[in-house]
Structure formats: C-alpha cells, structure tokens
C-alpha cells in the first residue's frame, strides 16, 4: 500500500495553492525523472554540463592534438576551414558519428604550427538549404572584422590566467547590486573595455558601498544596440570590450574588493541571425529552437529554444557551468524568465488567477530547465546568487526545487519602477496615496526574496526618461549649479532621495541601481545607430557631473553612498519586513520601522510639522543617523542631526518620540 505523500512545503505555506498541489507535484516529478535520465547517462548533473569541453575546438593533451565536434543532425556534410588550412573547403571534412554529432581530429604534429593562438576558423555546412559558412555552437571566442564586419571563430589558447583571489564568498545576506554595462561605462565617446571598468569604475562602486555588480552584455551579440539581449554566441565573452582574460581580470579585481560579479545571462531566446548565431545551423529550423511559428518570438524578433530537447538542455546547462567554472561568476540574473515560463510569453496577460501559473499556457519544459539550471549553479557554488527577471509573480519562483519551486534566490520587483514612473506621470505630488505606496512596495510573496529598485535600465533607454529626468526634465541642463535656486530642481532632488530610500526599505530583501542613476544621470541611453549617425554621445556615463563640486549631482551621489552604507551597516535588508508605525494621509507622513530603525517619510509639499509624535517599542535616547534634508546632501538643513530625542510617555506608559518632520524629506532615527 502506497503511503500518501505530504503536500510540498510550497503548498503548506500557502493554502491558496492547495487546489494546485497535484500540478506542483507533477512538475517536481518531471524534474526528478529528467534528472534521473541525465544522471543515468552522464553520472551526474555536473558531468552532463561539461559538454563545452567536448563540443567545439578542444585540445586533447593525451592524444596530442585538437578535437573539433559539432552537433548538427540535419546536416549532410561539415568541413573545418580557416587560417590553418588556407581556408581550403575540402581539406578537413568531419565524420558523422552517433547522435548527429560530427567530429574531426587534428594532430599537433601536423597542425601545431598552423592551428595556433588567435587563428581564425569557421565550419562549412552542407544541408538542404545549400552550403553556408557558420560559427560553431560552442565557440568560446568570436572576432569581428573591423572592415567587413564579418564574425569568425578564433582559436584561443593564451597563457592560463592566474587568479589573485582564488576563494571568494559573495555577501548574500545584504545584497546591494550595481547594474552596469561595460561598453557604456566610460565617459569618452566610444567603447569601454573590461579593464577600464575594472580600473576606473569598480573603485567608484566600492566607495558607494555596493557589494555586487550585475554585468550586462557579456555574451557575444552582433548588434551592439540590443543591450546584449540578442545573443549569437553563448559561450563567447563579447570581444567588443576585450579578451576573455580581460574579463577575468575584471572579475578578479572585483573579488579583491569584496564585490560579487553577477552575469546577465540570456537563455530566454537567441538572435535570428544565421551567419553569427544558431538559427538554421544544421539547415533545419528545429535544431535548437522550436520549429515553425512556435520558435519565433514576434515581439523580440528572435528565436525560442526547445527546452524539452536533450541536446538543448545540455547546451544551456553547459553554458551555466562554463561561466561559473571558467570565469568564476558569482551569480546570474536570468533574463526574460516570464517569456520562458509561458507559451504566451506573458504578452497581454493579466496574472489574476492561480490557473494562469499552473494550468493555462504554462511551458513545463522551460520550468524543468530552470529548475535544473538553478540546482546546477548551486551545486557548483553553494554561495551562488540566482535572480529571476519575472514580472508574472509565479508562486514558488524563489523557493527551492524540493519545496516545489523553481530554485531562484531572488526575483526582481519589476512592478516597483513601473509604479514610480506611473505615479510621477499621472499624479500630483499632493495627491500621492501613502497606503497605495505602501501596498505597492510591500506586495510580495512570503518566503520569496525580492530585489527592489526604483528605476530599471529600460527606463534609461531612448524614448523614455530616467527617474531624475521625469522629476526635473530639461531644467537639469540649466539649473544644476549649487548656487542656482530652482524649485523644480529642489523638488526633484528631494523626491529622488526619498523614492530611493523608501523603495529600499519597503521594497524587498536586496536593492539594485543602474549605473549613473545614483547621481541622477540626466540623459537617456541611445546606442550608435543609423538614426543618430552612429554616435556614442548617449552611450556613455558622464561621471564628471557627479565629481564636479559646483554641481548638485554630488548631492544625489552622496545620499546614495550614505543610504547604501546605512542599509549594509545596519543589516536592514536581511531583517524582517518593515512594520507600519504611522500613516498620516492628512500630512502625508509615513513612518515605518525595520530592524529597530525608524524611518520618517514626509511627502508633503509644504507641511513641516514640529513636535510630530509617533510610538516606539523601546525607551531611551534616539538620534538621526540619516537625514535627506541635511545641507551637505542638498537639503535645506532644517534639522539639527546632533539633537538627542528622548522618549516620552503617554498616560498608559507607552513610549513615543517627538521630532521635527520637515516637508519632502526623510529622517532615520536609531536608539543610542
């Protein structure tokens, strides 16, 4: 007689999920079945994910030569061509072996002087679509010809990189993420490099107090303006910014500063390009992707992986292992998770019923793939940080696989930046609803960690505005000097500070900013394109604005530094969620407590209130440890931060504080 299984922990924690217990259990059972198949074939999940050492061009020290292998079941013939054979199309044919794999061995005694470091090569593939020169699927180095713009694979066998910081454990309890893009991280008009980022930008990030960098556009992509999201070569670091060793140097330097490196990994789709990417690699449209229309992402103009196919799982899981093993990334931000989870990709769907998470258009193969990917990453590195870019709010996204979840550590609070922009666009300051702000920032699933952020990189792109630009717009071009009194700038700086802090305190268990937003970068991001005459003017960050003492950008930067150090030093984000203390709609004062700190937000445009009273749990002396109205942070200096506030008592013996709450500002009080 079979024993009845207890409901999974995910179901036990949320009674509303009880009707879907069988659905959640079924996906977990599928996961175990797939994993057993993998372990039966390869011995372990980790071994299965070492395919990058088998496919592509790999040197075999025992056989003393190079093996080249490609999975191309639909192809009729393959030849390896390149510098090493004078691009002779007939000289080096591959032999087809089991499973649609083609292979070729090149002895070192014959090719040692020819197949050398930095040699260029491609594969010539004959299929029903004709003869085409392509790049290997597992290629680890791709180089673009500056004149023809043609991409070629490159033999990459330099001296092994010597890591200076071989052991590193990321700070996962108080995760403070600085999202960045290597190419646009410089001030000059041009492409930034990995080494420039390491030497010039990492010290800035360290100074601000952030302990993680989320790096965009790492995987090779043919179109720079795609922000790195139309990937062509999944195992190749983008050569625009330097060599693989340069990227390792960046990661090594970050680790030396105590900064974790999180990679923006794209497994949700792939570029449609045939010459550079995977599309029609073996002549079929169903090799790596779904065949027919199911394989096309109409909104993104890209191709969609078939996560249920054995070889696709191995390709993507090997990609997970590769970036961890070879480059020592400490985490991934999985892009486009919503698109992966549902056959409808989340388009025009309101996730207003649990059926939509478990029964309506759910892509079970993708769910099982993400479970495998998250378990693999954590098996390779127990301290790994896995982040889901999911706007649907799927229950269990950030719960462990045994609990019935997908295995992510965090999800991005994607509704928060959208809310702030909507509020600024459509609601007058004096009509802001404190209860709506509270609900929006605190509405998240129990036991599932959320990364809060006030604005996303999407809002910095051309066609939209950053938070600072929504607040201050063109006035930023003319009135940011310290001695220039502008009510628009004054309002903008005040609210920019308040929005960031209230987002961090209420919005989640970690915090993120996009580079430049910490000092209110005034301009959007616009990559070189035909429409702007291929200009880099807006594909950069003007750090000098924050460095110039005569400009008000320094106030926003200094506040960000003070805020980040407060969050980190006081363990705010790893504490229990914020507790409401006072919601005063009349005066627009919101007071909350988190980890024994009292945050007094006054959103009023003109009501500064002396002797403002609120209850505290412990009696004693309190001092203000962060004040957005401080003169050195661009405020009006209406509060003396050195004042000690001693608790008073009401008739029932309850302790309370009396403070001066000034308009458009926030103060943080701590018991001494």
């Amino acid at each position: 007689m079979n024993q009845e299984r207890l409901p999974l922990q995910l179901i036990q924690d949320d009674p509303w999920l009880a009707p879907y217990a069988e659905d959640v259990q079924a996906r977990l059972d599928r996961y175990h079945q797939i994993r057993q198949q993998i372990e039966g074939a390869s011995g372990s999940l980790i071994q299965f994910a070492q395919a990058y050492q088998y496919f592509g061009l790999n040197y075999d020290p025992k056989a003393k030569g190079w093996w080249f292998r490609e999975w191309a079941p639909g192809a009729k013939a393959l030849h390896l061509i390149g510098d090493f054979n004078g691009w002779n199309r007939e000289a080096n044919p591959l032999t087809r072996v089991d499973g649609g794999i083609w292979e070729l061995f090149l002895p070192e005694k014959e090719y040692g002087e020819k197949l050398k470091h930095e040699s260029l090569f491609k594969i010539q593939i004959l299929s029903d679509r004709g003869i085409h020169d392509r790049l290997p699927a597992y290629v680890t180095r791709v180089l673009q010809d500056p004149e023809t713009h043609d991409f070629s694979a490159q033999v990459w066998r330099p001296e092994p990189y010597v890591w200076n910081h071989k052991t590193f454990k990321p700070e996962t309890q108080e995760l403070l993420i600085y999202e960045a893009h290597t190419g646009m991280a410089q001030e000059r008009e041009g492409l930034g490099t990995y080494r420039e980022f390491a030497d010039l930008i990492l010290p800035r990030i360290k100074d601000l107090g952030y302990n993680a960098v989320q790096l965009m556009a790492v995987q090779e992509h043919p179109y720079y303006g795609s922000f790195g999201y139309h990937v062509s070569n999944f195992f190749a670091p983008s050569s625009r910014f330097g060599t693989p060793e340069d990227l390792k140097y960046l990661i090594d330097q970050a680790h030396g500063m105590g900064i974790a490196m999180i990679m923006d990994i794209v497994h949700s789709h792939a570029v449609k390009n045939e010459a550079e990417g995977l599309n029609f690699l073996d002549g079929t449209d169903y090799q790596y992707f779904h065949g027919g229309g199911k394989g096309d992402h109409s909104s993104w103009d890209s191709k969609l992986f078939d996560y249920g196919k054995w070889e696709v799982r191995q390709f993507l899981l090997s990609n997970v292992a590769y970036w961890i093993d070879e480059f020592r990334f400490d985490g991934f931000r999985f892009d486009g998770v919503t698109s992966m989870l549902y056959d409808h990709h989340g388009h025009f769907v309101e996730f207003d019923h649990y059926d939509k998470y478990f029964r309506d258009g759910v892509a079970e193969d993708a769910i099982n793939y993400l479970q495998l990917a998250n378990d693999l990453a954590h098996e390779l590195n127990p301290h790994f940080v896995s982040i889901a870019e999911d706007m649907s709010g799927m229950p269990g996204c950030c719960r462990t696989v045994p609990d019935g979840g997908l295995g992510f550590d965090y999800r991005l609070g994607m509704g928060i930046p959208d809310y702030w922009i909507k509020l600024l666009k459509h609601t007058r300051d004096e009509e802001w609803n404190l209860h709506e702000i509270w609900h929006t920032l605190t509405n998240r699933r129990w036991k599932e960690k959320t990364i809060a952020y006030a604005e996303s990189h999407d809002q910095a792109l051309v066609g939209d505005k950053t938070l600072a630009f929504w607040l201050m717009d063109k006035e930023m071009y003319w009135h940011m000097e310290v001695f220039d009194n502008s009510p628009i700038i004054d309002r903008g700086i005040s609210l920019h500070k308040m929005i960031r802090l209230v987002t961090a305190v209420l919005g989640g268990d970690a915090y993120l900013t996009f580079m430049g937003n910490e000092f209110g970068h005034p301009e959007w991001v616009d990559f070189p394109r035909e429409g702007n005459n291929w200009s880099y003017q807006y594909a950069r960050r003007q750090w000098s604005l924050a460095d110039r003492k005569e400009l008000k950008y320094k106030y926003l930067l200094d506040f960000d530094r003070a805020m980040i150090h407060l969050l980190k030093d006081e363990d705010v984000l790893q504490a229990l969620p914020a507790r409401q203390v006072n919601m005063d709609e009349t005066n627009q004062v919101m007071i909350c407590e988190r980890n024994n700190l009292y945050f007094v937000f006054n959103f009023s445009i003109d009501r500064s209130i002396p002797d403002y009273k609120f209850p505290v749990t412990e009696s004693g002396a309190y001092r203000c440890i962060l004040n957005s109205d401080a003169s050195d942070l661009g405020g009006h200096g209406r509060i003396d931060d050195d004042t000690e506030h001693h608790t008073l008592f009401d008739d029932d013996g309850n302790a309370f504080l009396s403070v001066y709450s000034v308009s458009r500002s926030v103060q943080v009080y701590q018991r001494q």
Side-chain angles (χ1 to χ4, degrees):
M1 183 175 177
N2 291 331
Q3 261 192 330
E4 186 176 343
R5 289 190 289 189
L6 289 173
L8 295 167
Q9 191 64 48
L10 177 64
I11 307 300
Q12 295 181 47
D13 289 339
D14 185 353
W16 288 97
L17 292 177
Y20 304 92
E22 291 185 6
D23 302 271
V24 178
Q25 185 65 58
R27 66 173 54 165
L28 182 58
D29 290 344
R30 280 193 301 271
Y31 165 82
H32 286 308
Q33 182 182 11
I34 295 168
R35 177 141 187 175
Q36 286 171 5
Q37 292 171 349
I38 288 172
E39 291 173 347
S42 302
S44 70
L45 182 60
I46 290 176
Q47 282 300 114
F48 180 71
Q50 301 302 305
Y52 68 89
Q53 297 179 1
Y54 180 81
F55 290 105
L57 185 66
N58 290 287
Y59 182 76
D60 186 340
K62 291 183 179 179
K64 297 190 183 306
W66 288 264
W67 282 103
F68 180 81
R69 297 183 180 94
E70 191 75 31
W71 174 63
K76 295 180 177 179
L78 271 73
H79 288 78
L80 196 65
I81 58 175
D83 293 343
F84 71 97
N85 64 9
W87 298 94
N88 186 323
R89 296 186 173 274
E90 302 297 329
N92 296 104
L94 277 70
T95 302
R96 184 175 181 130
V97 294
D98 293 340
I101 298 171
W102 300 75
E103 68 179 20
L104 169 68
F105 182 71
L106 300 169
E108 185 173 20
K109 61 183 179 181
E110 183 178 350
Y111 291 94
E113 294 298 319
K114 302 174 183 177
L115 199 62
K116 55 188 178 181
H117 178 56
E118 297 186 336
S119 295
L120 301 179
F121 68 97
K122 291 186 179 185
I123 44 174
Q124 175 188 279
I125 298 181
L126 171 64
S127 72
D128 289 337
R129 299 179 76 242
I131 297 176
H132 301 280
D133 294 347
R134 303 297 298 267
L135 302 181
Y138 283 79
V139 64
T140 58
R141 171 70 172 168
V142 171
L143 202 63
Q144 185 176 27
D145 188 293
E147 295 183 2
T148 65
H149 305 295
D150 183 38
F151 283 90
S152 295
Q154 190 172 37
V155 177
W156 200 253
R157 293 193 71 220
E159 290 295 318
Y161 182 84
V162 179
W163 293 87
N164 292 312
H165 307 282
K166 296 181 180 179
T167 58
F168 175 76
K169 179 181 176 181
E171 177 74 49
T172 55
Q173 291 299 312
E174 209 71 26
L175 192 59
L176 299 156
I177 304 173
Y178 194 89
E179 186 182 22
H181 184 286
T182 306
M184 56 172 287
Q186 79 301 324
E187 183 146 359
R188 59 180 172 77
E189 294 188 27
L191 282 169
T193 68
Y194 298 125
R195 286 189 173 267
E196 283 179 314
F197 193 99
D199 296 339
L200 302 178
I201 310 305
L202 281 181
R204 290 180 176 271
I205 297 169
K206 174 68 174 177
D207 172 66
L208 287 171
Y210 290 90
N211 55 23
V213 169
Q214 184 174 294
L215 197 63
M216 306 172 67
V218 175
Q219 294 164 296
E220 190 61 87
H221 46 289
Y223 178 48
Y224 185 47
S226 74
F227 235 137
Y229 292 122
H230 275 195
V231 173
S232 53
N233 314 107
F234 287 78
F235 292 81
S238 179
S239 59
R240 286 184 180 87
F241 316 129
T243 68
E245 283 61 48
D246 293 337
L247 176 57
K248 290 177 182 179
Y249 171 79
L250 191 167
I251 296 167
D252 202 11
Q253 291 295 104
H255 288 172
M257 297 181 186
I259 297 173
M261 291 298 296
I262 299 170
M263 174 179 165
D264 202 343
I265 198 167
V266 184
H267 284 180
S268 50
H269 64 138
V271 73
K272 289 175 70 172
N273 300 31
E274 295 182 29
E276 300 90 4
L278 299 172
N279 198 12
F280 287 108
L281 182 65
D282 72 345
T284 68
D285 68 345
Y286 52 82
Q287 182 187 2
Y288 283 95
F289 311 117
H290 289 290
K294 189 176 181 181
D296 294 324
H297 198 304
S298 56
S299 297
W300 294 350
D301 192 32
S302 56
K303 300 298 294 182
L304 296 168
F305 288 106
D306 182 353
Y307 302 103
K309 187 176 285 188
W310 179 273
E311 292 84 0
V312 175
R313 282 198 199 108
Q314 186 168 42
F315 175 79
L316 294 174
L317 290 172
S318 296
N319 197 238
V320 167
Y322 172 76
W323 292 107
I324 297 172
D325 291 341
E326 296 296 317
F327 290 88
R328 305 193 180 189
F329 275 104
D330 307 290
F332 292 145
R333 178 256 198 197
F334 281 84
D335 178 68
V337 167
T338 306
S339 176
M340 298 173 70
L341 293 178
Y342 310 96
D343 292 331
H344 50 66
H345 312 305
H347 291 169
F348 313 110
V349 174
E350 292 289 334
F351 291 92
D352 51 5
H353 195 283
Y354 277 165
D355 276 5
K356 296 181 179 180
Y357 295 122
F358 299 106
R359 295 174 182 168
D360 297 345
V362 181
E364 298 294 348
D365 287 337
I367 287 172
N368 291 142
Y369 165 69
L370 290 170
Q371 291 174 316
L372 289 165
N374 280 314
D375 270 4
L376 171 64
H378 289 101
E379 286 175 25
L380 288 168
N381 180 359
H383 306 294
F384 200 78
V385 179
S386 179
I387 303 167
E389 191 216 17
D390 171 40
M391 51 73 63
S392 75
M394 175 174 277
C397 179
C398 299
R399 298 293 296 271
T400 66
V401 174
D403 277 358
L406 303 189
F408 288 99
D409 297 303
Y410 295 88
R411 64 154 37 101
L412 290 170
M414 299 179 69
I416 297 174
D418 292 342
Y419 171 75
W420 285 122
I421 295 300
K422 180 181 177 182
L423 190 69
L424 291 173
K425 287 173 69 173
H426 301 297
T427 307
R428 298 171 59 195
D429 295 3
E430 53 268 40
E431 295 173 356
W432 286 14
N433 185 309
L434 299 186
H435 291 280
E436 181 185 81
I437 292 173
W438 181 277
H439 174 74
T440 301
L441 295 182
T442 60
N443 183 24
R444 54 188 180 272
R445 294 191 62 81
W446 184 47
K447 289 189 176 181
E448 299 203 37
K449 292 183 178 181
T450 298
I451 297 173
Y453 56 120
E455 54 187 318
S456 70
H457 61 242
D458 292 332
Q459 289 160 339
L461 289 170
V462 66
D464 206 335
K465 298 179 182 179
T466 62
L467 198 60
F469 220 57
W470 275 115
L471 287 163
M472 297 175 276
D473 210 80
K474 62 181 183 298
E475 297 296 312
M476 297 185 75
Y477 292 123
W478 313 108
H479 299 289
M480 286 297 280
E481 291 188 348
V482 169
F483 299 109
D484 189 334
N485 294 318
S486 165
I488 293 176
I489 298 298
D490 184 54
R491 166 187 176 266
I493 288 178
S494 298
L495 289 179
H496 199 279
K497 291 182 287 185
M498 294 182 71
I499 287 171
R500 279 181 284 165
L501 186 56
V502 75
T503 296
V505 173
L506 298 186
D509 312 276
Y511 179 76
L512 176 145
T513 194
F514 176 64
M515 68 174 185
N517 291 354
E518 72 275 11
F519 64 88
H521 200 285
E523 293 172 342
W524 56 87
V525 178
D526 188 14
F527 285 100
R529 55 187 173 86
E530 190 174 359
N532 64 16
N533 200 27
W534 305 104
S535 170
Y536 284 88
Q537 181 178 355
Y538 298 108
R540 60 193 181 113
R541 297 285 87 177
Q542 298 183 60
W543 307 105
S544 60
L545 293 175
D547 295 339
R548 291 169 58 183
K549 301 302 181 185
E550 74 274 16
L551 298 180
K552 295 180 180 179
Y553 296 99
K554 67 179 182 180
Y555 296 139
L556 296 175
L557 181 74
D558 291 344
F559 178 81
D560 203 81
R561 181 188 298 106
M563 179 185 81
I564 294 300
H565 280 281
L566 171 75
L567 296 173
K568 185 163 57 176
D569 295 344
E570 302 300 331
D571 299 326
V572 174
L573 299 179
Q574 64 177 297
L576 292 172
R579 175 180 63 88
Q580 263 188 36
V581 174
N582 183 62
M583 299 290 277
D584 180 356
E585 290 283 5
T586 301
N587 295 301
Q588 285 189 291
V589 175
M590 174 197 293
I591 303 177
C592 64
E593 175 271 328
R594 192 167 185 186
N595 207 23
N596 301 313
L597 300 179
Y598 288 86
F599 299 82
V600 181
F601 294 93
N602 185 331
F603 288 97
S604 171
I605 63 172
D606 55 9
R607 295 190 183 185
S608 296
I609 309 164
D611 195 24
Y612 197 92
K613 301 179 179 65
F614 61 92
V616 293
T617 55
E618 292 186 86
S619 61
Y622 287 76
R623 297 187 72 169
C624 180
I625 60 172
L626 178 61
N627 173 20
S628 72
D629 194 57
S631 300
D632 59 353
L633 296 178
H636 298 288
R638 291 169 287 180
I639 294 175
D640 183 358
D641 296 342
D642 293 328
T643 300
E644 276 198 349
H645 298 267
H646 293 267
T647 48
L648 304 171
F649 299 90
D650 62 18
D651 294 339
D652 296 322
N654 299 312
F656 66 88
L657 278 185
S658 175
V659 301
Y660 183 24
S661 175
V662 296
S663 60
R664 279 187 178 148
S665 74
V666 53
Q667 289 77 43
V668 184
Y669 292 95
Q670 182 181 53
R671 184 174 177 272
Q672 301 303 295

